[in-house]
Amino acid sequence: MLEKKKVLVIDDSAFMRRVISDIINSDHRFIVVGTANNGEEGLKKTQELDPDVITLDVEMPSMNGLEMLNVLMKTNPKPVIVISALTKEGADTTIQALGLGAVDFITKPKNIFKMNEEEIKTHILEKIFLASKIHNFPTRNEKKIEKHTVKRVFSSPSSNVKKIVAIGTSTGGPRALQEVLPYLPKELPACYVIVQHMPPGFTKSLAERLNTLSEITVKEAEDKDILRPGVAYIAPGDYHILIEKSSNSSDYWIRLSSSPAVGGHRPSVNVMLNSLSETNLDNIIGVIMTGMGSDGCEGMKNLKVKNNAYIIAQDEKTCVVYGMPKAVVESGIADVVVPIQRIAKEIVKAVEVL
């Protein structure tokens, strides 16, 4: 019989601690080994109980979740799932937590008594199960990045875009993107289209957070956005992002689609990459980073065969989950496999040299 995975529940609400604990203990794979009502107690319990997974509320007295996470990931890293509110403030805080190293998040329903509904319980247990398999916690790049608060989307035509960089990522992606986009120079004649598996309401906060850290402009993609150099477009949650040629100019623009999920994902990396492949452009760089499953592999194959794209894959050592890059690497289409800290340099080199 398999040993049960140990879970530590940290929340300042006694009601939430009980609800979450009951859900976890209802599954034969897990056991709640302890609870804590603030970050300071959570750090002590982590040291004492050595849990396999931690669920973490962010808004807590004494030491909040972000403060605890910052200390934890530097001293005793564990897979952490953040419990998030379905609000703009909750989304912003969740993105900060993912940037600090949380592996995933769960949104509380607006009606807290719906936590016990079967669909929500199944969702929570699946997230905990996947988190329990994570044992890799890449170190963060500690370089201080100048914050850029006032930026405009460039008005220069898309013909000045020397390369289109298409990036796909999932679990661990927000932190990985934080290790790449801030290190791309704004003068580089490239634009960036990005799929990060994430539900609605969070991709805008992710784009805003990355925009404050980066020289390039980072925005949540909108329908009919024209591709411009120095701009990164992140697919909004629950929409596929496709790249198409404008019918009345040489521009390429973004089309958002609510067509059915592909491989369980909307947005899907494959949908984005396949649309790029159909443009017949030969100036594409594909980047595949940390994530569960194999979304992006089919699209990268098409880009390699049809468009002779240059493919960059994140290495296993620096991935939170070596799933999506593994599929690309094992298919033999990756031109280079590098740590997350080198991906920005590889992109710059590919744009300037290739």
Side-chain angles (χ1 to χ4, degrees):
M1 186 175 178
L2 291 173
E3 188 176 344
K4 292 186 176 186
K5 296 293 184 179
K6 299 182 292 182
V7 184
L8 174 63
V9 176
I10 306 174
D11 200 299
D12 67 329
S13 162
F15 174 75
M16 284 301 297
R17 291 198 299 273
R18 170 59 65 87
V19 170
I20 294 170
S21 295
D22 285 349
I23 290 170
I24 295 167
N25 284 328
S26 72
D27 192 299
H28 70 277
R29 297 172 294 179
F30 313 116
I31 182 169
V32 175
V33 291
T35 62
N37 63 14
N38 62 55
E40 196 172 359
E41 187 183 6
L43 288 172
K44 291 177 183 175
K45 290 283 183 78
T46 301
Q47 194 67 35
E48 293 168 9
L49 302 171
D50 190 30
D52 298 297
V53 180
I54 296 170
T55 69
L56 178 66
D57 186 27
V58 176
E59 299 299 329
M60 297 184 294
S62 181
M63 177 186 276
N64 67 32
L66 291 178
E67 292 167 336
M68 179 197 155
L69 193 56
N70 193 36
V71 174
L72 181 75
M73 299 312 290
K74 290 176 179 176
T75 59
N76 187 18
K78 298 284 183 185
V80 174
I81 298 175
V82 171
I83 308 297
S84 170
L86 266 175
T87 62
K88 176 66 168 71
E89 293 77 14
D92 290 346
T93 304
T94 299
I95 296 303
Q96 289 182 59
L98 294 171
L100 288 169
V103 298
D104 212 335
F105 65 95
I106 295 163
T107 52
K108 299 176 190 174
K110 289 181 179 177
N111 181 349
I112 209 66
F113 294 101
K114 290 187 175 181
M115 283 287 285
N116 278 316
E117 290 186 355
E118 280 306 312
E119 184 179 351
I120 294 175
K121 286 168 68 174
T122 302
H123 181 65
I124 290 170
L125 293 169
E126 183 62 18
K127 295 249 184 185
I128 292 172
F129 176 68
L130 294 174
S132 72
K133 293 177 169 292
I134 295 171
H135 304 289
N136 191 17
F137 302 95
T139 55
R140 229 178 350 154
N141 195 329
E142 295 295 336
K143 172 186 170 184
K144 297 293 182 185
I145 304 165
E146 179 187 351
K147 292 191 175 184
H148 298 260
T149 53
V150 182
K151 285 185 283 189
R152 294 182 298 110
V153 174
F154 300 119
S155 59
S156 48
S158 62
S159 57
N160 285 352
V161 175
K162 184 179 177 185
K163 296 283 185 181
I164 298 175
V165 181
I167 301 174
T169 187
S170 185
T171 310
R175 186 169 178 176
L177 288 168
Q178 199 169 297
E179 294 286 336
V180 175
L181 299 191
Y183 300 91
L184 296 169
K186 62 184 178 184
E187 299 84 7
L188 203 66
C191 67
Y192 312 85
V193 287
I194 300 165
V195 165
Q196 159 69 57
H197 294 157
M198 195 170 268
F202 290 87
T203 44
K204 188 172 182 62
S205 291
L206 175 63
E208 289 172 352
R209 168 75 176 162
L210 290 166
N211 188 55
T212 65
L213 297 173
S214 306
E215 287 188 14
I216 64 171
T217 296
V218 185
K219 70 185 296 286
E220 186 181 53
E222 298 174 74
D223 197 48
K224 292 189 168 55
D225 270 344
I226 295 174
L227 298 186
R228 305 292 190 192
V231 184
Y233 306 85
I234 297 181
D238 213 26
Y239 284 91
H240 294 304
I241 182 171
L242 300 97
I243 312 303
E244 298 178 343
K245 191 176 189 305
S246 169
S247 56
N248 56 5
S249 73
S250 60
D251 291 329
Y252 286 84
W253 62 13
I254 286 169
R255 181 166 68 83
L256 299 182
S257 167
S258 56
S259 59
V262 174
H265 302 297
R266 190 172 67 193
S268 157
V269 183
N270 278 329
V271 168
M272 174 182 71
L273 299 180
N274 287 337
S275 75
L276 261 176
S277 180
E278 289 168 10
T279 64
N280 294 317
L281 290 167
D282 60 359
N283 62 342
I284 300 167
I285 299 163
V287 181
I288 194 80
M289 303 197 301
T290 178
M292 198 83 63
S294 61
D295 186 25
C297 187
E298 173 202 301
M300 290 292 182
K301 285 179 183 175
N302 287 335
L303 283 178
K304 174 59 72 177
V305 172
K306 295 182 183 178
N307 310 77
N308 195 30
Y310 186 77
I311 310 297
I312 301 168
Q314 184 179 352
D315 72 352
E316 181 174 7
K317 187 177 179 182
T318 61
C319 280
V320 172
V321 179
Y322 189 57
M324 289 161 58
K326 180 182 180 182
V328 169
V329 172
E330 290 188 346
S331 70
I333 57 173
D335 291 286
V336 64
V337 182
V338 294
I340 188 67
Q341 296 84 358
R342 279 184 49 199
I343 286 181
K345 288 181 180 177
E346 289 295 329
I347 291 172
V348 171
K349 185 168 72 173
V351 172
E352 293 181 339
V353 177
L354 298 178

